[in-house]
Amino acid sequence: YLKNRKIIYSFLWEKRITNIKPVHKEIWKLWYNTSYYIGKYNGKSIFIKVMGNLLKDCFDNEILVNKYIDDNSKWLKNRKPELLFGLNLDNLYILVYENIDMKDIKLSQSVENDIKIAMEEFSRIGILHTDFGLTNIASFENKTLFIDYGTSLCPDSNMIRIRNDANYNHLSKLSKEAREICNDADFYYDDATHIDVDMSENDNINFLVGKDDCYY
């Protein structure tokens, strides 16, 4: 951070971004060169996410999935901060969003209802978030927001990151459709299972299932 700070600030100043301040230091991931800032752009408050080269695929995919959502789901578009633009500085990748004062969220009935609508929209337009949890759900002005699409999958995605561990591999909850595709699977994931929300009435929920290095 100390090494990159002057480089980052100078680069952002060149892009007419001012009043830059670091925020949320408690969740920075410096092994990924990930850090967060707020600032001003054209008189508006913004939120800035900086990532290192290890997350270039997430940078590219965040832009791609945000555009896909904007083009295909008005509801989801209105339930995320607007991604204004992305910037590349050597081996640093910078995402600039409209700023919102996001607060930690608790799983209430209204939030659970919004989660179900979000997953119905994910399934309708063909998205898997793949990191769907309360850490990537926020509240702003009594509206539930869904954020961080860097590892998400949509029909336009050309990359995939697999977290094959106990927190993401829900083999005990393999759906009937997943068993038909890969009956000896060693990996299964869907957003509803991961966040533990009952979507049993939705027969079309998107999932990822795989064996060894092959995923469907």
Side-chain angles (χ1 to χ4, degrees):
Y1 166 66
L2 293 175
K3 176 183 176 182
N4 289 331
R5 180 174 57 182
K6 289 184 178 180
I7 298 172
I8 292 169
Y9 279 40
S10 295
F11 179 71
L12 293 177
W13 288 331
E14 289 175 6
K15 303 299 180 182
R16 304 200 314 273
I17 295 173
T18 60
N19 297 81
I20 305 162
K21 298 177 182 177
V23 292
H24 305 312
K25 282 188 173 183
E26 71 280 2
I27 60 171
W28 287 15
K29 298 175 182 175
L30 295 182
W31 55 94
Y32 285 131
N33 274 348
T34 297
S35 53
Y36 306 100
Y37 307 84
I38 56 173
K40 293 279 188 179
Y41 179 73
N42 287 343
K44 296 182 178 180
S45 297
I46 56 171
F47 176 77
I48 304 158
K49 181 178 182 179
V50 178
M51 299 175 289
N53 200 45
L54 289 174
L55 296 180
K56 182 185 182 302
D57 57 343
C58 296
F59 168 84
D60 292 336
N61 202 57
E62 180 83 22
I63 295 172
L64 185 152
V65 175
N66 267 265
K67 183 179 186 307
Y68 184 81
I69 288 172
D70 291 347
D71 292 343
N72 291 280
S73 174
K74 183 177 180 180
W75 192 90
L76 288 173
K77 178 180 179 179
N78 290 328
R79 295 292 180 141
K80 65 178 181 63
E82 182 184 358
L83 176 58
L84 301 177
F85 50 84
L87 301 167
N88 175 219
L89 170 61
D90 296 326
N91 288 325
L92 294 175
Y93 298 88
I94 302 169
L95 295 166
V96 179
Y97 301 86
E98 66 176 350
N99 188 53
I100 51 176
D101 182 20
M102 293 185 294
K103 300 176 182 178
D104 291 338
I105 200 163
K106 295 182 180 178
L107 194 58
S108 64
Q109 186 61 57
S110 63
V111 171
E112 186 166 323
N113 289 339
D114 285 339
I115 289 171
K116 289 182 178 181
I117 295 172
M119 280 190 288
E120 288 170 358
E121 283 295 280
F122 287 165
S123 293
R124 182 181 70 82
I125 68 175
I127 282 181
L128 264 174
H129 189 288
T130 82
D131 194 14
F132 208 51
L134 293 182
T135 56
N136 284 326
I137 301 175
S139 177
F140 179 67
E141 295 181 347
N142 297 318
K143 181 187 290 187
T144 308
L145 299 176
F146 305 96
I147 59 176
D148 200 355
Y149 290 96
T151 61
S152 299
L153 298 175
C154 78
D156 292 339
S157 297
N158 61 2
M159 54 74 68
I160 183 172
R161 283 186 172 226
I162 300 297
R163 304 185 187 188
N164 202 345
D165 61 52
N167 291 324
Y168 286 82
N169 191 347
H170 306 285
L171 288 174
S172 64
K173 298 189 178 181
L174 270 164
S175 66
K176 177 183 176 182
E177 293 84 355
R179 292 184 190 279
E180 290 173 353
I181 291 173
C182 188
N183 60 13
D184 60 345
D186 61 18
F187 179 90
Y188 176 79
Y189 177 93
D190 70 52
D191 290 324
T193 296
H194 182 67
I195 201 170
D196 196 23
V197 171
D198 181 15
M199 295 289 288
S200 57
E201 296 180 1
N202 187 346
D203 294 331
N204 299 312
I205 191 164
N206 298 324
F207 61 83
L208 189 66
V209 64
K211 174 71 174 176
D212 299 326
D213 292 327
C214 189
Y215 297 89
Y216 303 89

